[in-house]
Amino acid sequence: TQLLEQSPQFLSIQEGENLTVYCNSSSVFSSLQWYRQEPGEGPVLLVTVVTGGEVKKLKRLTFQFGDARKDSSLHITAAQPGDTGLYLCAGARGAGNNRKLIWGLGTSLAVNP
Amino acid sequence: GAVVSQHPSWVICKSGTSVKIECRSLDFQATTMFWYRQFPKQSLMLMATSNEGSKATYEQGVEKDKFLINHASLTLSTLTVTSAHPEDSSFYICSAPRITEAFFGQGTRLTVV
């Protein structure tokens, strides 16, 4: 059972287009993180959202945490080829040594020039 | 930010041999580290949680005798793939949590021939 549904799984768009990636769950997370991963490398943290309803912006990327802390979205404005990569969301549960990240399946984004 | 170093970045080994992958937290101590396996353009699959000074916790379906984990110090965890087979070929990534975030190693591309 996938506890964190991420969609779409694959996305191919033209440079300049906007896109939104969604992560949804029926369970509450203490925080949710978005990562970007390039081939052959480990994921790199983009942002952590903690508060329900929170919105964070990172240049052309806008991240939102749902009011109930069960879902999140990543919106990219005017996508560029450099945005190409695998985007992963991960929800945190537990604390201390019992803290675990629940991963979405990932969204493979290709931005064509 | 925190740095996690994983070594080697890639390795090719013969079927039946063992391969050791190291994961080091360079500027912080990690009592817990996570080992993941990842297939191309897919999300991270948690294999096991490495606990400093105690036995690792393995996820369901992961053979603990095949994937040996040792967490001998607060900055080093190792994953040994024993008696490797071609189906073990994959991208292996470690991560170490620090406060509320997870920091990832660069990953190891294992190819078993």
Side-chain angles (χ1 to χ4, degrees):
Chain A
T1 302
Q2 186 62 32
L3 299 179
L4 191 52
E5 301 287 342
Q6 184 173 346
S7 63
Q9 195 169 352
F10 298 97
L11 191 56
S12 179
I13 61 173
Q14 293 301 120
E15 182 176 1
E17 293 183 9
N18 302 330
L19 67 117
T20 303
V21 179
Y22 299 93
C23 272
N24 297 296
S25 174
S26 58
S27 303
V28 176
F29 295 108
S30 56
S31 66
L32 193 139
Q33 299 173 345
W34 286 91
Y35 293 82
R36 178 169 173 267
Q37 183 182 21
E38 298 200 23
E41 299 181 10
V44 175
L45 179 67
L46 295 174
V47 77
T48 300
V49 286
V50 179
T51 307
E54 183 176 5
V55 176
K56 282 189 174 180
K57 288 194 173 185
L58 188 64
K59 295 184 179 178
R60 293 176 292 100
L61 279 59
T62 302
F63 305 86
Q64 186 164 8
F65 203 13
D67 291 341
R69 291 187 291 134
K70 294 181 180 180
D71 54 84
S72 181
S73 64
L74 156 61
H75 182 80
I76 300 179
T77 304
Q80 298 177 2
D83 296 327
T84 295
L86 180 68
Y87 290 82
L88 297 158
C89 63
R93 292 217 179 97
N97 286 341
N98 293 319
R99 182 176 180 272
K100 273 193 177 180
L101 288 178
I102 310 298
W103 291 90
L105 288 177
T107 296
S108 181
L109 171 65
V111 182
N112 307 301
Chain B
V3 178
V4 173
S5 177
Q6 188 173 340
H7 178 81
S9 298
W10 59 271
V11 57
I12 302 173
C13 71
K14 289 185 177 181
S15 210
T17 61
S18 295
V19 173
K20 180 186 283 188
I21 303 170
E22 293 186 348
C23 182
R24 294 180 185 273
S25 56
L26 296 185
D27 54 355
F28 67 102
Q29 294 180 336
T31 57
T32 302
M33 290 187 181
F34 300 98
W35 287 96
Y36 296 88
R37 185 172 178 175
Q38 186 179 33
F39 294 100
K41 294 189 177 181
Q42 293 188 23
S43 189
L44 305 174
M45 183 185 77
L46 180 63
M47 298 174 64
T49 302
S50 173
N51 304 301
E52 189 269 335
S54 64
K55 292 182 180 180
T57 305
Y58 289 83
E59 296 299 304
Q60 191 173 6
V62 178
E63 299 176 57
K64 60 181 180 181
D65 294 331
K66 179 167 185 61
F67 297 100
L68 299 179
I69 290 174
N70 183 275
H71 197 146
S73 77
L74 288 171
T75 58
L76 174 64
S77 174
T78 61
L79 167 67
T80 301
V81 183
T82 63
S83 188
H85 289 279
E87 56 264 32
D88 297 326
S89 298
S90 192
F91 193 57
Y92 293 86
I93 308 176
C94 69
S95 80
R98 182 168 179 262
I99 309 177
T100 59
E101 298 181 8
F103 295 90
F104 288 84
Q106 305 93 321
T108 298
R109 168 70 59 195
L110 170 63
T111 302
V112 185
V113 297

